[in-house]
Amino acid sequence: PDVKLGCEVNLSRDISKFDLLEKLCVEGTDYILIEMPYNYWDEVLFDAIYYITLRKMKPVMAHIERFFRHSNKFESLLDLDIFYQINADSVLEPKMNRFISALFKNEMVNFIGSDMHNTEARPTQILKAYEKKKKIYGVGCADYLMENSYRLVENREVDSFVFKKKNIFTRFGK
């Protein structure tokens, strides 16, 4: 396999001002994997993401499904020009099914990532996750997710859904 360097960049309030931020993009691309903070989300963070896009980088929000408790602020994310990734392990986790289904139905998933840290304690489940999504949403959905992954590592434009600008998460109690 062709391996590309990349990392999740913890989003901080002043990250968009870092001189060498482009060096943290996936190797050879303009795509930068952003990890949102777990404890707070505010307009300053959304501004930081916006300023990253002004620097011609393309933010990908890592494992969006982990941020269920911030779903009332997702509408602010929809105004930003970013992409969304979920983890394969979460796709296979029964307790995450309802929220991930809402993300898919509302066209807020562009990628499935492995979030693999090693081959023993945290091996990749990505093929199982693709198969599960193919069963639920059809081969077109699985092809879309796979093609977007190829586009990202090749630094081509990623296909994005037309996001619905409404608060889709109210039925989850937020």
Side-chain angles (χ1 to χ4, degrees):
D2 184 19
V3 177
K4 303 256 185 181
L5 293 177
C7 64
E8 290 177 10
V9 178
N10 289 318
L11 185 65
S12 65
R13 296 171 184 276
D14 58 354
I15 195 169
S16 62
K17 298 174 187 165
F18 293 174
D19 290 337
L20 300 176
L21 187 60
E22 287 83 359
K23 298 269 187 196
L24 298 177
C25 288
V26 174
E27 182 181 3
T29 78
D30 300 321
Y31 293 94
I32 185 165
L33 192 59
I34 299 290
E35 180 162 15
M36 296 293 281
Y38 283 94
N39 53 353
Y40 67 91
W41 287 21
D42 59 19
E43 291 305 314
V44 176
L45 288 177
F46 299 132
D47 289 346
I49 295 170
Y50 173 70
Y51 289 120
I52 289 170
T53 65
L54 291 180
R55 290 178 62 175
K56 305 298 184 213
M57 287 177 272
K58 301 170 186 170
V60 177
M61 186 176 167
H63 40 70
I64 188 175
E65 77 281 2
R66 290 185 185 174
F67 302 107
F68 175 82
R69 67 182 158 151
H70 295 292
S71 61
N72 61 327
K73 297 191 179 174
F74 277 23
E75 193 164 350
S76 295
L77 290 173
L78 297 177
D79 292 331
L80 301 170
D81 190 19
I82 63 176
F83 300 99
Y84 304 94
Q85 177 260 331
I86 59 172
N87 286 342
D89 288 354
S90 296
V91 169
L92 301 172
E93 179 63 42
K95 68 181 181 178
M96 296 297 293
N97 283 345
R98 196 166 103 182
F99 188 58
I100 288 177
S101 291
L103 293 171
F104 270 96
K105 287 177 185 171
N106 289 282
E107 303 173 342
M108 291 186 68
V109 179
N110 304 102
F111 307 98
I112 294 181
S114 69
D115 202 27
M116 181 180 144
H117 289 225
N118 60 56
T119 58
E120 291 153 13
R122 208 161 165 185
T124 184
Q125 300 286 327
I126 203 151
L127 290 178
K128 289 180 184 175
Y130 275 112
E131 288 302 314
K132 181 174 181 178
K133 289 298 141 198
K134 186 166 44 172
K135 281 183 185 177
I136 295 171
Y137 297 107
V139 70
C141 177
D143 289 350
Y144 163 81
L145 294 165
M146 186 69 74
E147 177 63 23
N148 270 352
S149 296
Y150 288 122
R151 287 173 182 236
L152 185 147
V153 297
E154 294 169 355
N155 202 32
R156 295 186 292 139
E157 286 299 314
V158 168
D159 279 342
S160 62
F161 289 115
V162 176
F163 296 117
K164 297 172 183 160
K165 296 197 177 201
K166 61 181 180 175
N167 191 346
I168 58 174
F169 300 97
T170 54
R171 67 175 175 252
F172 291 102
K174 294 288 178 183

